[in-house]
Amino acid sequence: MEAFNSSIIVLVKRSSHFLLPPFVVANLLPSLISIFSVDPNVMRTFLSSALLITFIASSDACMKVTPGTPGMPAVRACKTCSPTLIMLTQVGEGSHGFDTDTTSTTGACAVRTLTCIGNNPTITVNGDGGALMGATTVSFMATCNAAGTAWVSEGITITQLECASTPAP
């Protein structure tokens, strides 16, 4: 009976820390069945406990989850376009830097607005791809595409912009 008590103590101590693998329980069952054959209630209680411990130990990995960072929404790619995706040049006659260059990320996707101020200002788009003109101020807006890889205006990818104006009379 002393061997019986020490086996139960070791088994319970290991099981409470989930250190008893299922194959150990399976190997101990034949000897435990002969020990518990005198009292079926003891054997039924032990087997129920062993099955429960085995289930908990084997299902532990399936229950672990890694929570996301609370309060931090995912940043949409269309809010991450780099300003360097549009080359700002100053090669034409009367060209100069843009007076303002702002990016707003408050909407669904980032919107970049460039403003050219001067006497008859012009914004040249993609080299010879087109131009915007005004009397004293002209602005150009581009939206970051869904992938966050290009600035787009009216379905055209914008790669180059230039601001120019004529000298004051």
Side-chain angles (χ1 to χ4, degrees):
M1 194 64 174
E2 183 62 37
F4 167 75
N5 288 337
S6 63
S7 298
I8 297 300
I9 291 169
V10 169
L11 184 63
V12 169
K13 182 173 178 157
R14 287 187 179 174
S15 297
S16 67
H17 295 291
F18 305 110
L19 296 175
L20 189 63
F23 69 88
V24 173
V25 173
N27 289 336
L28 287 176
L29 281 179
S31 60
L32 291 174
I33 289 173
S34 64
I35 293 171
F36 293 128
S37 61
V38 263
D39 190 348
N41 289 330
V42 172
M43 188 168 99
R44 186 177 305 121
T45 303
F46 171 78
L47 289 177
S48 298
S49 298
L51 286 174
L52 179 63
I53 289 168
T54 302
F55 172 74
I56 291 171
S58 64
S59 66
D60 185 46
C62 295
M63 292 197 268
K64 290 182 181 177
V65 294
T66 304
T69 306
M72 296 296 295
V75 176
R76 296 179 62 168
C78 71
K79 290 190 176 214
T80 62
C81 281
S82 170
T84 60
L85 293 171
I86 298 177
M87 182 173 49
L88 304 180
T89 59
Q90 294 182 26
V91 294
E93 187 177 333
S95 65
H96 55 84
F98 282 88
D99 295 282
T100 62
D101 181 356
T102 59
T103 302
S104 172
T105 56
T106 58
C109 292
V111 176
R112 187 173 180 187
T113 305
L114 297 103
T115 304
C116 184
I117 300 173
N119 189 27
N120 298 316
T122 303
I123 296 178
T124 305
V125 180
N126 291 342
D128 292 329
L132 301 170
M133 295 182 239
T136 58
T137 303
V138 66
S139 293
F140 180 82
M141 290 186 358
T143 304
C144 183
N145 70 354
T149 57
W151 292 100
V152 179
S153 180
E154 297 181 21
I156 299 169
T157 299
I158 308 304
T159 58
Q160 183 268 330
L161 292 173
E162 184 168 299
C163 170
S165 58
T166 58

